[in-house]
Amino acid sequence: MRTHYCTEVTENIIGEKVTVAGWVNSRRDHGGIIFIDLRDKGGIVQLVADPKELDVAESVRDEFVLIATGTVRQRGEGLENPNLITGKIEIVLDELVIENRSKPMPFDLNDEKVNDEIKLRNRFLELRSDKMYDIFKLRSKATIQVRNTLDELGFLDVETPILTKSTPEGARDYLVPSRVHGGEFYALPQSPQLFKQLLMVSGFDKYFQIAKCFRDEDLRADRQPEFTQIDVEMSFCDQEDVIKVAEKLIYDTFTACGKEVPSTFPRITYADAMEKYGSDKPDLRFDMAMVDVIDIFANSTNEIFASIAKDTKNNRIKALRCPNGDNIFSKRQMKGFEDYVRKFGAKGLGYFQMKEDGLKGPLTKFFSEEDLEAIVKTTQLEVGDVVFFGAGDKKTVWDYMGRFRLYLAEQMDIIPTDVYEFVWVVDFPMFEVEDGRTKALHHPFTMPNLEKCDLDNIDDIENIESIAYDIVLNGTELGGGSIRIHKEEIQSKVFKLMGISDEEAKEKFGFLLDALQYGAPSHGGFAMGLDRMIMLLAGTDSIRDVIAFPKTQKAQCLLTQAPSEVDAEQLKELSLRIRKLEQ
């Protein structure tokens, strides 16, 4: 139908007859001659039509689909467009076919300020924009490189089931009712975790999959109810083996996409990440690490600080130095920061200003000169700096001071946008206790670090360390993994520590526990969010931009109007009845 894509028509083929096809990007009538910018996947070429010879050109409008045939010629002197690949030529039309017409567009494709709801209702139109095409071209290139790298390393691509059994993995499952087995349900997989472990028991040695995953959880900019992850598992490996594969995969993929990144990444322990940055996914593109000053505040005459400082195991008093903050923020702004941290559980936020003659601020009266000097030395304050303090139980302080660190950096505009700062977070706790319930921090199939603990003699369950690791990029968790439990007796002990009875374990994980009794190899792996990776590669701030047909924050597809009601006959076949909840 066509001989060339638009951007293949260049000065190298001047004088040749070509046929191009695409959408009308713009039309200009110059009285006696009509110029049409035709767009396809590669870009734009200018068409020239004489309406006296081609009267069809009179009726052409934006976004009409055209098939155009004509002769390539040099543009007139001074009429070249340096912004286009085809800017030195144009096509003088002999034939023009309107393949299809278009209604007036509901929005301008290049208008970044269009309401998101309008764009999502017309997602097939938004995808026509250059920005969106470039994102999905990038996604395709990255995905191909992922497959090529893992194939090169000897990994086998294996698909695992989408309809599976509901298992507790952290988020809520999406359930699918069974017609054949009335009253019973499949679950859509939150990850292929159990199946990839079974493949290791099967002797597949190295597995990967670009897998669809589903989680019914509260959504935000970097979450969607259905998402894609790069899933990898390997046998007879330790943490170093897995990290080496992950680093090569990241390096190859980013390099293929034209980004410069190192071939190996630094590491930080979970404990250090929380103590210094208040997050297990620290953004290291800027400094501003938190410093512990609980020992200094123990000497304070302020009863609140002194009381908190008595319990150094469960409480923290953290200092956050803001370089030149005294010259950037007013006293009113600094007092207003307290409102920000209160949203995340803080009971207050103290601060000192570093002046030429020493520390100033409402808290100085509670400290001796010696202790004030210790604060200056510990936090490395310089004249013009401000130092903020958060105090309370450690998890709350870590959380709000970590958030506050990012908030301050954004207010100061000190976060570079043109760098990729990777870091491995390692040595995660095995468990966390919330409301008296013990939960696995990663998942219950993670191997505890048996060199550092005895599962039969536990003093504090939160002190058990796991062999788990996360890869973080610019403050976003790109992925993570662990060495898995491959012995049934260890898995049973972990279940018991979590309060999962033998009967519950058998019901929910029986197939895995059975498999572990048939010569399971040691194994481990990782999963990386493909959508998040593309989001960071493309420099966009929402995961929706890199998913062809995404859901809203309420998990709705505005294009197809899903989810939607189904008719009574379908419900009857599935042994379901809808009961309206009272408001």
Side-chain angles (χ1 to χ4, degrees):
M1 184 177 286
R2 61 183 163 197
T3 62
H4 296 75
Y5 285 100
C6 291
T7 49
E8 293 174 345
V9 183
T10 66
E11 62 269 28
N12 295 326
I13 55 172
I14 288 173
E16 292 186 20
K17 181 167 283 194
V18 298
T19 298
V20 291
W23 286 262
V24 176
N25 201 64
S26 66
R27 172 189 179 277
R28 304 177 299 282
D29 190 338
H30 285 200
I33 191 167
I34 293 174
F35 293 94
I36 299 168
D37 283 348
L38 192 71
R39 182 189 75 245
D40 65 14
K41 74 178 185 70
I44 290 172
V45 68
Q46 180 170 281
L47 312 180
V48 182
D50 184 342
K52 294 178 182 178
E53 297 181 15
L54 287 171
D55 57 355
V56 67
E58 294 274 18
S59 59
V60 166
R61 294 295 181 269
D62 288 357
E63 297 304 316
F64 277 26
V65 181
L66 306 182
I67 300 173
T69 300
T71 303
V72 183
R73 78 176 180 191
Q74 185 94 28
R75 289 201 193 192
E77 187 176 347
L79 300 177
E80 295 179 348
N81 186 342
N83 297 319
L84 295 179
I85 297 173
T86 60
K88 294 183 178 180
I89 58 88
E90 58 194 11
I91 302 173
V92 182
L93 295 183
D94 302 319
E95 183 180 350
L96 182 63
V97 176
I98 296 177
E99 184 73 6
N100 218 333
R101 297 173 182 271
S102 173
K103 291 165 56 177
M105 292 284 283
F107 63 94
D108 183 345
L109 291 180
N110 297 309
D111 186 353
E112 295 284 343
K113 297 180 181 179
V114 176
N115 180 278
D116 281 346
E117 185 172 325
I118 294 174
K119 289 195 289 188
L120 289 175
R121 287 187 186 280
N122 300 276
R123 181 67 167 181
F124 55 93
L125 296 178
E126 185 188 11
L127 292 175
R128 287 185 187 176
S129 69
D130 292 341
K131 173 188 173 183
M132 298 307 295
Y133 182 78
D134 287 344
I135 285 175
F136 285 94
K137 186 177 178 181
L138 181 73
R139 183 179 179 123
S140 177
K141 181 176 290 189
T143 305
I144 289 168
Q145 185 59 54
V146 166
R147 292 189 183 279
N148 288 343
T149 294
L150 291 172
D151 178 63
E152 175 192 331
L153 293 173
F155 285 81
L156 192 66
D157 186 354
V158 183
E159 290 186 358
T160 55
I162 293 295
L163 295 177
T164 186
K165 182 180 177 65
S166 178
T167 58
E169 291 187 54
R172 299 181 190 89
D173 286 323
Y174 278 104
L175 299 176
V176 180
S178 169
R179 177 185 61 81
V180 178
H181 304 281
E184 297 184 357
F185 295 81
Y186 301 102
L188 303 181
Q190 294 186 33
S191 79
Q193 182 61 47
L194 299 181
F195 288 109
K196 66 182 181 182
Q197 288 191 248
L198 292 174
L199 288 171
M200 296 302 100
V201 179
S202 303
F204 276 34
D205 193 62
K206 290 181 178 180
Y207 141 96
F208 88 95
Q209 182 183 187
I210 297 181
K212 273 289 187 182
C213 303
F214 307 85
R215 294 179 188 174
D216 186 3
E217 57 188 351
D218 295 333
L219 305 183
R220 55 191 187 211
D222 62 350
R223 281 184 183 170
Q224 280 279 293
E226 55 178 311
F227 58 95
T228 306
Q229 72 181 31
I230 304 162
D231 206 53
V232 178
E233 197 79 5
M234 51 197 291
S235 293
F236 302 109
C237 63
D238 58 20
Q239 177 173 288
E240 295 304 313
D241 296 322
V242 178
I243 285 178
K244 186 176 179 181
V245 169
E247 288 180 339
K248 177 170 175 54
L249 180 65
I250 292 169
Y251 177 80
D252 286 357
T253 303
F254 275 67
T255 301
C257 294
K259 308 297 183 181
E260 290 187 15
V261 295
S263 57
T264 59
F265 310 136
R267 302 183 192 184
I268 186 173
T269 65
Y270 171 87
D272 282 347
M274 299 306 295
E275 296 288 358
K276 292 181 178 180
Y277 305 106
S279 172
D280 60 1
K281 44 183 183 296
D283 190 338
L284 302 185
R285 288 176 293 174
F286 63 101
D287 195 6
M288 288 179 63
M290 297 187 298
V291 178
D292 203 336
V293 290
I294 197 167
D295 55 335
I296 302 174
F297 274 64
N299 303 326
S300 169
T301 59
N302 182 293
E303 291 184 11
I304 296 175
F305 288 140
S307 176
I308 290 171
K310 287 179 182 177
D311 186 356
T312 57
K313 177 183 177 183
N314 297 304
N315 294 338
R316 293 291 184 273
I317 300 179
K318 289 292 184 181
L320 182 62
R321 171 180 169 250
C322 181
N324 202 36
D326 195 27
N327 298 317
I328 297 173
F329 302 117
S330 66
K331 279 189 178 181
R332 183 176 180 180
Q333 283 177 294
M334 288 189 280
K335 289 179 180 178
F337 290 153
E338 187 170 330
D339 295 332
Y340 176 82
V341 296
R342 283 186 183 277
K343 293 186 293 185
F344 306 106
K347 294 181 180 178
L349 184 72
Y351 69 90
F352 290 143
Q353 297 157 282
M354 186 66 188
K355 303 288 189 180
E356 291 281 358
D357 56 345
L359 288 182
K360 303 297 178 183
L363 297 179
T364 54
K365 62 186 177 184
F366 299 114
F367 295 88
S368 67
E369 285 299 321
E370 184 180 353
D371 286 333
L372 291 175
E373 288 177 11
I375 289 171
V376 172
K377 183 178 179 180
T378 301
T379 59
Q380 299 181 334
L381 290 179
E382 298 178 1
V383 174
D385 292 348
V386 174
V387 60
F388 296 93
F389 301 96
D393 74 89
K394 65 182 181 183
K395 289 185 179 179
T396 303
V397 171
W398 284 341
D399 182 52
Y400 75 74
M401 289 298 282
R403 293 175 186 268
F404 184 50
R405 171 181 176 267
L406 292 172
Y407 178 75
L408 277 180
E410 289 168 357
Q411 296 298 306
M412 297 164 67
D413 195 24
I414 61 171
I415 305 177
T417 58
D418 57 349
V419 298
Y420 293 102
E421 197 67 51
F422 291 91
V423 63
W424 284 105
V425 181
V426 298
D427 300 342
F428 277 82
M430 182 77 184
F431 303 107
E432 61 179 345
V433 179
E434 288 186 357
D435 302 323
R437 182 184 169 207
T438 301
K439 296 164 44 179
L441 197 66
H442 270 71
H443 54 65
F445 318 110
T446 301
M447 178 68 82
N449 191 332
L450 299 178
E451 293 182 0
K452 296 184 179 180
C453 74
D454 178 1
L455 294 181
D456 295 317
N457 186 21
I458 302 299
D459 293 327
D460 185 344
I461 198 167
E462 288 191 296
N463 284 340
I464 300 175
E465 197 175 281
S466 66
I467 308 177
Y469 33 84
D470 280 357
I471 182 65
V472 176
L473 172 56
N474 293 355
T476 295
E477 181 189 326
L478 193 57
S482 65
I483 300 302
R484 324 301 187 187
I485 296 171
H486 67 285
K487 296 184 178 181
E488 189 272 339
E489 62 269 22
I490 299 175
Q491 188 67 74
S492 295
K493 288 179 182 179
V494 167
F495 283 153
K496 281 185 172 61
L497 289 170
M498 295 177 63
I500 298 175
S501 67
D502 290 342
E503 293 75 18
E504 186 181 359
K506 186 69 176 175
E507 177 190 349
K508 293 179 176 176
F509 308 108
F511 57 96
L512 177 62
L513 297 177
D514 288 344
L516 294 180
Q517 300 178 59
Y518 288 91
S522 56
H523 59 282
F526 63 89
M528 281 192 283
L530 178 63
D531 309 298
R532 286 185 182 180
M533 179 189 288
I534 304 305
M535 179 182 77
L536 292 163
L537 275 168
T540 182
D541 57 5
S542 173
I543 202 171
R544 288 196 315 216
D545 290 342
V546 305
I547 295 174
F549 300 102
K551 306 289 191 295
T552 66
Q553 208 161 8
K554 294 182 178 180
Q556 293 174 302
C557 175
L558 298 183
L559 177 65
T560 62
Q561 299 300 304
S564 60
E565 295 181 353
V566 298
D567 62 45
E569 188 60 32
Q570 285 177 286
L571 292 174
K572 184 177 179 181
E573 285 183 342
L574 295 169
S575 305
L576 294 177
R577 182 172 61 188
I578 302 297
R579 180 169 62 89
K580 297 290 185 183
L581 295 176
E582 294 182 6
Q583 298 296 322

